[in-house]
Amino acid sequence: SKTAWSPGVHMNNVMANFVIADWHDLRSVDLADALMVWANNKKPGYKEIYQRFEDSGAMGGMFLSNEVLRDEIAKQLDSLKGDLKDEALEKSNMARVMHLFTMAGMVPKKYAQGMEAAYQFEDAIFRLAAFTKAIRYGKTDVEAGKIARDSFLNYDINAPWIQAARHTGLPFISFFYRALPMAINTVKAKPWKILKLMGFWHLVSALGYMMSGGDEEEERDLLPKEKQGNVWGVVPKMVRMPWNGEDDAPVFLDIRRWVPVGDIADMEMGSGMLPPWATPSGPMLLMSEVLLMNKSMFTEKEIVTDTDSQREKLEKRLDHLFKGMMPNVPLPNPLNLQTPVGEINPLDLNQGSMQSYAWSGIERSQLKQAGSIGEIRSTPAAIANTLGIKVSAYPAENMSAAKDLDYRRSVMGVKAEMKRLQRNFANLNEPTKQEEGRFDRAMERQREKLDELEEKR
């Protein structure tokens, strides 16, 4: 649901594969050769190369192959059972009812199969490029297959603790487990690859500022904290686009997911306590968030508040479950379609409720509403966002208001702590010198926090 079935993940996968391809010295001509072999794999000459590629083991260890292997075995067993029951089912009216349900499920089934096939192709085409290059340089098929398999992420993992983690609370840890050593080896063996990546995106961003006339320091200071800074300390998280949005709002492209293991040490990108790859997720945690914690582990935001009515609490909890389980597809849920102005939808749900994140973003763009951090997207930008191209305008007014709100919340928290310290100290009948010193030091630390907050503001 959160990988092959979500369109945005495909874009992230392809862009990350381009970077990894460069790390292993694959060039555009190698990818062109691979596409030629793939497109003509039924024709003489190309067919033989493609068969050699398949037989070499180059496609072993691809993400989706390993993910669906267990499911495929289960499907085959179900199919065998179904063959034994077909004759009996055909004799009953229940067979007709089951046929109707099957037909109703064909569209999502075809969508899932198509998206999975596309995901396989995105990985396989890069491996095919590595394979054809290797045999062109005189490698045997087995050697070329190993090079192709190891040049990209090999998800055939035997480590018991990794398998246990990915099947419970850390379903995405296998990517980190394979990508981190590859990134480290690239930094050690080919540091110029990282410098090239840095230089490219900094150049694109510089051209964006040159053409848009924006002030880099001012615009970046106003961005939310998690969007400031660089990936790995060198590649900008947000790349300035050469145009402005409404009211000259700066437009940025978020490339954090396009850089392999770009979130390795980015504590601002996830829950604030853990980077995204180490943030627990999955169905069990999703249920815990709704029923026990009342907080999203990824955003650290409360799901329901004390001021919500019972109906609002129920709607918010169901919405959180819905968004957590559904693929992020830009398709509306009929339960909460937009209604004309002045009308109320049948279930009286809030705008965006029981819709995927993708469709909620498209609806907000049509209604000219800001997102959760104040960003603004046009409808084309909202559609591009669902495909993994995260382009948004960040109006200075919205960004300033969000910064001011964060400042006031922080100040209120510090002042509440100072009052608590004062109350506790006042309750002491005859404080000792040690207690007075402890109180003074604690108050001084809080005053330093206020000074830092004011300076930052």
Side-chain angles (χ1 to χ4, degrees):
S1 179
K2 299 304 179 185
T3 52
W5 294 355
S6 294
V9 175
H10 288 253
M11 177 63 71
N12 298 337
N13 186 43
V14 170
M15 296 303 290
N17 276 341
F18 271 116
V19 175
I20 295 174
D22 181 60
W23 289 354
H24 291 92
D25 298 314
L26 289 177
R27 294 178 169 82
S28 56
V29 291
D30 301 316
L31 287 171
D33 289 344
L35 286 168
M36 186 67 72
V37 172
W38 186 282
N40 299 283
N41 62 47
K42 303 295 183 185
K43 297 180 180 178
Y46 294 112
K47 181 178 180 180
E48 288 77 7
I49 295 174
Y50 189 71
Q51 286 178 341
R52 289 167 60 189
F53 168 67
E54 288 186 315
D55 294 341
S56 70
M59 291 204 289
M62 289 200 298
F63 172 76
L64 203 59
S65 299
N66 284 272
E67 284 295 301
V68 303
L69 183 59
R70 290 168 294 130
D71 295 338
E72 187 59 34
I73 293 172
K75 287 178 185 176
Q76 294 298 330
L77 289 173
D78 288 342
S79 177
L80 290 172
K81 293 176 184 176
D83 291 342
L84 298 174
K85 296 178 181 178
D86 278 348
E87 187 175 349
L89 285 173
E90 288 297 329
K91 296 178 181 178
S92 68
N93 289 330
M94 183 59 70
R96 298 172 188 171
V97 177
M98 293 301 295
H99 179 68
L100 291 175
F101 277 105
T102 302
M103 293 299 292
M106 284 301 289
V107 173
K109 184 178 179 181
K110 290 293 184 184
Y111 168 81
Q113 291 174 342
M115 294 295 277
E116 289 171 8
Y119 204 89
Q120 288 283 79
F121 168 77
E122 292 156 12
D123 285 341
I125 201 67
F126 284 92
R127 294 191 182 207
L128 181 55
F131 177 83
T132 54
K133 179 181 179 179
I135 60 174
R136 192 165 62 245
Y137 278 83
K139 301 292 184 181
T140 66
D141 287 4
V142 173
E143 291 172 332
K146 186 177 187 308
I147 290 172
R149 190 168 60 250
D150 294 340
S151 293
F152 294 88
L153 301 185
N154 184 353
Y155 290 99
D156 187 12
I157 299 170
N158 293 322
W161 68 276
I162 290 291
Q163 292 294 350
R166 69 190 297 221
H167 292 152
T168 52
L170 297 174
F172 303 115
I173 195 173
S174 52
F175 176 85
F176 160 78
Y177 182 75
R178 286 304 193 198
L180 179 61
M182 185 182 291
I184 292 174
N185 289 335
T186 302
V187 172
K188 289 165 57 179
K190 302 175 183 178
W192 57 88
K193 296 292 186 181
I194 307 302
L195 292 174
K196 184 207 291 191
L197 189 65
M198 175 191 72
F200 173 78
W201 285 116
H202 274 291
L203 176 62
V204 173
S205 194
L207 289 173
Y209 278 110
M210 188 186 303
M211 297 174 69
S212 65
D215 184 306
E216 181 171 6
E217 184 176 357
E218 181 179 323
E219 290 178 356
R220 290 190 180 276
D221 281 348
L222 284 174
L223 287 173
K225 189 177 180 181
E226 70 271 13
K227 295 181 181 290
Q228 296 179 9
N230 301 311
V231 176
W232 304 340
V234 293
V235 183
K237 295 180 182 178
M238 307 293 286
V239 175
R240 181 63 156 94
M241 295 290 95
W243 66 87
N244 295 324
E246 291 185 19
D247 300 323
D248 281 336
V251 177
F252 287 93
L253 171 67
D254 187 341
I255 65 164
R256 291 177 294 174
R257 294 293 188 189
W258 292 4
V259 180
V261 288
D263 58 3
I264 182 66
D266 192 348
M267 308 303 282
E268 304 297 341
M269 193 173 171
S271 66
M273 298 170 58
L274 299 168
W277 64 266
T279 301
S281 57
M284 288 188 293
L285 186 86
L286 186 64
M287 293 301 295
S288 298
E289 288 176 343
V290 172
L291 300 177
L292 301 175
M293 297 184 293
N294 187 37
K295 181 184 287 189
S296 167
M297 281 288 291
F298 192 77
T299 64
E300 285 200 314
K301 293 182 178 178
E302 288 187 340
I303 298 172
V304 300
T305 64
D306 292 337
T307 57
D308 289 332
S309 66
Q310 290 301 317
R311 184 190 181 285
E312 289 171 331
K313 288 179 179 179
L314 177 61
E315 180 184 337
K316 287 183 177 181
R317 288 188 174 116
L318 290 175
D319 181 54
H320 187 75
L321 283 173
F322 180 86
K323 285 178 166 61
M325 298 297 289
M326 283 292 294
N328 197 25
V329 292
L331 293 173
N333 178 8
L335 287 176
N336 191 16
L337 288 174
Q338 269 187 265
T339 53
V341 177
E343 294 184 17
I344 299 175
N345 68 44
L347 296 178
D348 193 23
L349 299 174
N350 290 316
Q351 189 270 317
S353 184
M354 302 302 291
Q355 298 287 4
S356 67
Y357 288 112
W359 189 257
S360 295
I362 293 173
E363 277 191 346
R364 278 199 306 271
S365 71
Q366 294 172 338
L367 299 170
K368 299 189 181 300
Q369 294 177 347
S372 59
I373 57 175
E375 79 280 11
I376 298 289
R377 292 191 181 106
S378 63
T379 300
I383 294 172
N385 182 71
T386 69
L387 302 177
I389 305 172
K390 298 185 176 181
V391 177
S392 305
Y394 294 84
E397 183 179 357
N398 291 9
M399 298 299 103
S400 296
K403 294 279 185 184
D404 189 55
L405 181 60
D406 287 341
Y407 166 77
R408 285 188 277 114
R409 283 175 177 165
S410 299
V411 168
M412 287 174 62
V414 174
K415 288 185 175 180
E417 177 63 13
M418 292 175 78
K419 287 181 179 179
R420 186 188 69 83
L421 291 169
Q422 289 169 341
R423 284 196 305 270
N424 290 345
F425 185 73
N427 289 335
L428 298 174
N429 293 327
E430 295 181 2
T432 64
K433 290 289 185 182
Q434 185 180 10
E435 290 169 334
E436 288 179 358
R438 186 183 296 118
F439 171 73
D440 290 340
R441 287 193 298 274
M443 291 295 289
E444 182 59 29
R445 283 195 294 270
Q446 301 307 315
R447 283 191 287 268
E448 287 174 358
K449 289 180 184 178
L450 288 177
D451 291 340
E452 288 174 4
L453 288 168
E454 178 60 26
E455 185 179 355
K456 187 180 292 186
R457 188 182 73 88

